[in-house]
Amino acid sequence: MSNVTLEKVSRSFGDFVAVDSVDLRVEEGEFVTLLGPSGCGKTTTLRMVAGLEQNTGGRISIGNEVVSDAASKFVVPSERRRLGMVFQSYAIWPHMTVFENVAYPLRVRRRPNAEVQDLVMRALRLVEMERFAERPAPALSGGQQQRVAIARALVFEPKVLLLDEPLSNLDAKLRLQMGDEFRSIQKRLGMTSLYVTHDQSEAMALSDRVVVMDRGRIQQIGAPEEIYRRPVNRTVAAFFGTPNLLDASVESCRRIAGGRIQLDVAGQGWRGPCDAAAELTPGQSVTVMVRPEDARIAGPDAVRGEHELQWTGRIAHTIFRGPTRSVFVDTEGGRINVDAPAFGNYAIGDNVNVLVPQSAAWAVIGHKEAA
Amino acid sequence: MSISAELPPRPVPRPSLFAGLGAFGRALGATSAGRFIAIALLIAVLAFLSVYPLSMLLYGSLHSTPPGVAGEFNLDGYADVFTWQSFVTLANTVGISLAKTIPSLMLAILLAWILARTDTPMRGTLEVLVTLPFFIPPILTAMAWGMLGNPQVGLINQVYQWITGSTAPLINVYSYGGVVWHMMQYSVPFLFLLIVDAFRAMDPGLEEAARMCGASRWRTFRTVTLQLMMPALTGAAILSFVRGIENFESPLFFGSPAGIRVITTDIYDSINQRSPPQYQYATAISFVILVLLLLVVLAQWRMLKGRSFTTVTGKGYSPAVMKLGKWRWFTFALCMLFFVVTVVLPVGQLLIGSFFQFFGFYQWDMLTLDHYRAVFSSGEFWRGFRNTMLLGLVGATLTMLLGGIVAYVSVRTRWRGRMLIDGMAWLPWMMPGIVLGVGFLWGFALLPHAIPIYGTLWALLLAYISLGTPLSVRVMTSAYAQLSYDLEECSRVHGANWLQTMWRIMIALAWPAFAVGWVLLFFGIMRELSASVLLYSVGSEVLSVVLMKLWANGNAEQVSVIGMIMMVMVLVIRWIQLRLIKTRIGAL
């Protein structure tokens, strides 16, 4: 197992900068996910680590060994980087059997036959595909091809495993199952993994750390919980789930116990305290993020508690979602989406209050326009 | 109506053209009687174009005298086929075709790889240049090479002897090598066109996966790229082999003078060069070669059954382009060399030849425009030109219409009999032009005198339509296959009748394919020699026949002039075609 280090890595196509000065260090055995909308440069970043794409700036090292340095034009070709890779299309070779597909990396390395036999079967057992060894590859379902692709990437004990949206071609149910299985294999083997996806729930479920990218730049690096709770800017905040983003301006700012920063903010028809990542000066514009699952609906006469924020409005419409019901409340400060109990009594036009614990409100710099 | 009589006459409101045709379309498409008539009509037309000449071959091979002459039935024709002489001819045919297919395939793979998968400069232009030889009528390059590689006065040998001082010629095109070489000029671009998309469309992940597994580029190419392409390559190679057996121009120009006989020239000789013409032998050997080709095609179907790999995924990744560094100028030069040798040399020879007084003597004081004057004042040239243009325009249009209908019936309807229609339209696919020519020769001669097709332009037109139908059906089938049924059904649901649907949706969307197919057929007709040479008669000569007559008379200078004129036509049409494809791709 090895670590991966990217120092100021860039990739430009003509004038277009696909990846802009990315710094990232993946520790040994860590599972790091590159997350972002399509075109954000995450796949390009992964392919530069793989050596399938040339970085036009910066340096990439794997296991403390430089594999690509744009300044000195030094490049180790893909085949000598000893990386395992799982492709979005799986890239299972249709002219070979499952066994031959998985054996390929070993054959290339001229391992003796007995060893090949042994290692391939072990890899296939790991992904529970040993029964299919002699099947021709085209006779596999999507999920099975996926498993073969993982076995092939693992069989020669690569330094790092790279995965390019490996679950995106599977249906929703299988995606969850394969994701969980893969995570457990990864943990068992302690495999350093770099994973690319545009699916935020996948990223949160699988990763030790998530790297959120947008327009070629890293927006935030952190544990899934941290990124979900404490996004550093509007882009990251908007990317996870469907949060309410409410414009406000700072009234005062203070540091409280534990180094946290608390703001008093005021928006259209509401005011109150909330947490923030950085110290801000009064008068600055902020966006306050409130997640639907943190808000609750109260009657028109409800009074907010000491550590709560309050909005008053009327119910615009509701959507039944099974476990919860989305209730949309029109307030002076904008429309707020609340995850309410599925079988509560909400009628359109009801006057209600929306209450949110102050600790669940999180402010980031900037307004909607600025984002 | 009394009022209308006092008013100025007004056009009677008539049902619109659409409504009128729509009713007809409905009658054809929707009623079972109409459907039956449509199917019967189509079957009758196709039967006349493919089954009829085929059965006439069988008839003629058993008939002891030329068409139209009373005779008896016997097996003498087949007895002549199974002789040592014929066996040598057959071995020559197969051997030459193999000898050209294998190097052509290797060269085509190399070119396809260079142009589809490397960063060789100006790949777009190179692709146009490298495929150009395919569109030049082979009779032109045959004659040009006949001049270039003539052992006594050929330009190449003259230059070689002038440089080295040697007296021996460098090359002699009148040899096995000459035949193979001339065939290769066509089969390389032909194979290239067939396989280049397989190189281009492959999911790059399949190769990248191999690289990530530690395989070098060469190993990746060998164990993944090439293996994945095997089905496409074998298919293309077999087709090229069949085309080699069917080839007429190369052995006619370079084989016959050297005494090298292949089956196509043998058929031609026994009808045109022998007196009395040996129709029975020609027909019998035609039938035999047809059966052999059928076996090859069937073998190919068996071999390729289920061996086609879908390597294209939805993801819009263009395949990885290999960076060649300095070597990209080498690959560039390689492509240019191919273009120079297959296009610039022969066309240059025609150009030079058309301006000098005598072929083989190139001195400044011998420059002349006389040959151009002679050609432009020659009635024979203009007649051939008119006939070729007429046949090209009408033939290509009719063939595409027929192909469009056949493809529609076989792909988009569930009519009974559509398999039969598809099969009949495919039959001429493996018929060499000369064999079809022999079949039609018999067929037209045996028609009642009230249908005077024999010896007229109609004979050529019908033969060209027959030869072109398999291509037009293929082009239109793939065009229809890309159009989802929903488009058609949606139009119907929204109230358009059958004909409106055809017109607005199907034809509007399929016309680019129609145009591409049309141009290919026009090229095909312009270059056709083997069937024409059997079916023409005085007054219905086409350009290729005019050229051949001039060549036979030793008039290389006027051949060069007509060759140049045809070359200009080829370039213009090819340019239009490329523009068409470009705008079509741009629109999609």
Side-chain angles (χ1 to χ4, degrees), chain B residues 154-176:
Chain B
L155 197 54
I156 291 178
N157 288 321
Q158 284 193 23
V159 170
Y160 168 77
Q161 288 167 358
W162 179 71
I163 291 174
T164 60
S166 150
T167 52
L170 177 68
I171 52 170
N172 177 9
V173 286
Y174 299 105
S175 61
Y176 278 103

Side-chain angles (χ1 to χ4, degrees), chain B residues 58-197:
Chain B
L58 185 61
Y59 174 88
S61 68
L62 299 169
H63 197 267
S64 64
T65 52
V69 179
E72 56 176 28
F73 290 99
N74 58 35
L75 289 172
D76 288 357
Y78 290 100
D80 289 343
V81 168
F82 294 103
T83 57
W84 178 246
Q85 175 65 43
S86 300
F87 175 76
V88 171
T89 307
L90 182 68
N92 264 340
T93 311
V94 172
I96 287 176
S97 190
L98 274 180
K100 71 103 192 181
T101 302
I102 293 163
S104 299
L105 185 65
M106 288 180 347
L107 200 51
I109 291 175
L110 180 66
L111 289 175
W113 175 76
I114 289 175
L115 294 178
R117 306 300 299 271
T118 68
D119 65 342
T120 303
M122 293 190 277
R123 276 172 293 156
T125 316
L126 282 180
E127 190 169 335
V128 173
L129 297 182
V130 160
T131 51
L132 192 58
F134 179 69
F135 297 95
I136 305 174
I139 185 170
L140 292 188
T141 48
M143 291 170 172
W145 276 102
M147 303 184 217
L148 279 169
N150 186 303
Q152 281 85 44
V153 290
L155 197 54
I156 291 178
N157 288 321
Q158 284 193 23
V159 170
Y160 168 77
Q161 288 167 358
W162 179 71
I163 291 174
T164 60
S166 150
T167 52
L170 177 68
I171 52 170
N172 177 9
V173 286
Y174 299 105
S175 61
Y176 278 103
V179 178
V180 167
W181 163 242
H182 185 249
M183 283 187 181
M184 276 182 65
Q185 293 181 46
Y186 290 88
S187 36
V188 171
F190 176 74
L191 285 164
F192 173 88
L193 287 167
L194 284 178
I195 63 176
V196 70
D197 280 338

Side-chain angles (χ1 to χ4, degrees), chain A residues 43 47 50 52-53 77-79 83-85 87-89 91-96 104-105 107-110 138 152 156 162 164, chain B residues 203-217 219-220 223-225 227-228 307 309-311 313 315 317 320 323:
Chain A
T43 295
R47 289 172 62 83
L52 297 170
E53 202 93 52
S78 303
E79 61 265 32
L83 306 173
M85 185 156 172
F87 289 79
Q88 186 179 18
S89 61
I92 298 299
W93 298 304
H95 60 295
M96 298 180 191
Y104 191 86
R107 300 241 191 261
V108 167
R109 291 175 172 76
R110 298 180 199 288
R152 183 177 65 188
F156 63 102
L162 307 174
D164 183 9
Chain B
D203 173 10
L206 291 168
E207 286 170 315
E208 286 169 357
R211 300 288 303 283
M212 295 310 296
C213 287
S216 65
R217 276 179 177 160
R219 190 177 180 122
T220 302
T223 57
V224 175
T225 318
Q227 295 299 324
L228 286 171
R307 286 258 302 147
F309 304 127
T310 344
T311 56
T313 55
K315 199 171 175 186
Y317 240 117
K323 296 201 170 37

Side-chain angles (χ1 to χ4, degrees), chain B residues 525-547:
Chain B
I525 291 173
M526 202 162 82
R527 66 198 288 181
E528 216 298 320
L529 177 67
S530 52
S532 318
V533 86
L534 288 182
L535 292 172
Y536 86 92
S537 68
V538 179
S540 64
E541 298 99 337
V542 288
L543 268 186
S544 51
V545 171
V546 172
L547 272 175

